[in-house]
Amino acid sequence: MARLLVVEDDPFVRSALIRQLTEASHTVRSVGTALEALREVAQVGFDLVVLDLGLPDLDGAQALKMLRGITDVPVIVATARDDEAEIIRLLTDGADDYLVKPFSVAHLTARMAAVLRRAGGGAVAGEPAPPDVLRVGGLSVDPLRRRAELDGTALDLTRREFDLLSYLAGRPGVVVPRKELLAEVWQQSYGDDQTIDVHLSWLRRKLGETAANPRYLHTVRGVGVKLEPPSAVPPAPPTHPPTTLEHR
């Protein structure tokens, strides 16, 4: 099972999480401050961090940014804040998922399993193995090595950005519904479309394009998203000297 770090300053909540996650066969360490969390992550290899935002020494959002500076370990943020703008900011700053308090351990465990599946990058039993390299125009995506390049230059992608790009690259030219992206990339049966939009915006920036001037990523309004090679610029029609009519 997973090696978990629980960052929670409330001793009662922390005790309950430790007990129930340990009973689920996870190895759990816990701390009550952001600085302790940074020290633990720097010294110990974890599979996942559960990060409370209401910490006594640093705001959890600041702690998240600092964690992302030293590790790409998956982070699930536990927050009492359900403001949409705040949640988008947390995802932008590197959270892999979030839970709004209060939540059950069963809900947390389900979210953990989904995040860990994505982080593992492995195929689900019974599914065909992914091809070695997916190529779409000048874009190449290697699902096994989790590496993507554009015109020979490596792309610096977050885990979620890579998962989204890889899924779309495996279906070039196909409009993938947003519900399918939520289910297959985020492992969620429901969610906010804005989460997809945020990650698409990040991907576009790294692919050197915008929503107004797409090259690879195309949004089909009300349907979904497709990835396809940039369309070639059609050649200019040949020019001919104007035809003159002579009156005889």
Side-chain angles (χ1 to χ4, degrees), residues 192-208:
D192 187 351
D193 279 3
Q194 197 158 11
T195 298
I196 298 176
D197 291 334
V198 168
H199 285 83
L200 284 172
S201 176
W202 296 338
L203 267 180
R204 284 193 174 102
R205 190 179 312 154
K206 294 178 180 180
L207 293 175

Side-chain angles (χ1 to χ4, degrees), residues 6 8-19 101 103:
V6 174
E8 169 63 63
D9 68 317
D10 187 318
F12 298 103
V13 174
R14 192 164 77 199
S15 177
L17 287 174
I18 293 170
R19 182 180 67 256
K101 293 182 177 181
F103 55 82

Side-chain angles (χ1 to χ4, degrees), residues 23-53:
E23 288 174 357
S25 301
H26 297 294
T27 300
V28 185
R29 294 171 70 104
S30 68
V31 294
T33 68
L35 293 179
E36 289 176 310
L38 292 167
R39 187 180 307 116
E40 285 287 312
V41 168
Q43 296 176 353
V44 181
F46 293 101
D47 297 312
L48 186 141
V49 175
V50 180
L51 176 65
D52 177 43
L53 290 189

Side-chain angles (χ1 to χ4, degrees), residues 19-229:
R19 182 180 67 256
Q20 295 183 56
L21 291 172
T22 301
E23 288 174 357
S25 301
H26 297 294
T27 300
V28 185
R29 294 171 70 104
S30 68
V31 294
T33 68
L35 293 179
E36 289 176 310
L38 292 167
R39 187 180 307 116
E40 285 287 312
V41 168
Q43 296 176 353
V44 181
F46 293 101
D47 297 312
L48 186 141
V49 175
V50 180
L51 176 65
D52 177 43
L53 290 189
L55 299 174
D57 56 340
L58 282 176
D59 180 79
Q62 292 178 284
L64 175 62
K65 290 182 179 180
M66 295 174 73
L67 279 172
R68 278 292 164 259
I70 61 174
T71 179
D72 63 352
V73 63
V75 177
I76 296 179
V77 169
T79 174
R81 314 167 194 173
D82 60 357
D83 178 69
E84 181 177 303
E86 173 73 6
I87 289 171
I88 290 173
R89 184 166 68 87
L90 291 169
L91 293 170
T92 302
D93 288 343
D96 291 84
D97 205 344
Y98 66 91
L99 283 171
V100 177
K101 293 182 177 181
F103 55 82
S104 67
V105 172
H107 192 177
L108 171 61
T109 301
R111 292 293 186 94
M112 284 170 37
V115 169
L116 289 170
R117 280 198 299 273
R118 294 195 297 267
V124 176
E127 290 186 351
D132 287 342
V133 179
L134 304 167
R135 300 187 187 279
V136 182
L139 182 66
S140 66
V141 181
D142 187 338
L144 296 179
R145 297 175 179 83
R146 297 187 65 81
R147 178 179 175 84
E149 295 183 352
L150 178 62
D151 298 327
T153 301
L155 295 172
D156 182 16
L157 303 179
T158 66
R159 180 179 295 105
R160 190 69 58 81
E161 289 168 358
F162 182 88
D163 291 340
L164 177 58
L165 181 63
S166 179
Y167 192 81
L168 292 171
R171 296 149 185 80
V174 176
V175 180
V176 181
R178 288 170 174 267
K179 286 186 178 180
E180 182 177 335
L181 290 175
L182 282 171
E184 299 298 332
V185 178
W186 276 263
Q187 304 293 321
Q188 297 177 14
S189 57
Y190 61 91
D192 187 351
D193 279 3
Q194 197 158 11
T195 298
I196 298 176
D197 291 334
V198 168
H199 285 83
L200 284 172
S201 176
W202 296 338
L203 267 180
R204 284 193 174 102
R205 190 179 312 154
K206 294 178 180 180
L207 293 175
E209 62 183 70
T210 65
N213 295 290
R215 295 180 64 240
Y216 284 91
L217 292 168
H218 300 264
T219 299
V220 180
R221 188 178 297 276
V223 183
V225 183
K226 67 177 176 178
L227 185 144
E228 61 184 9

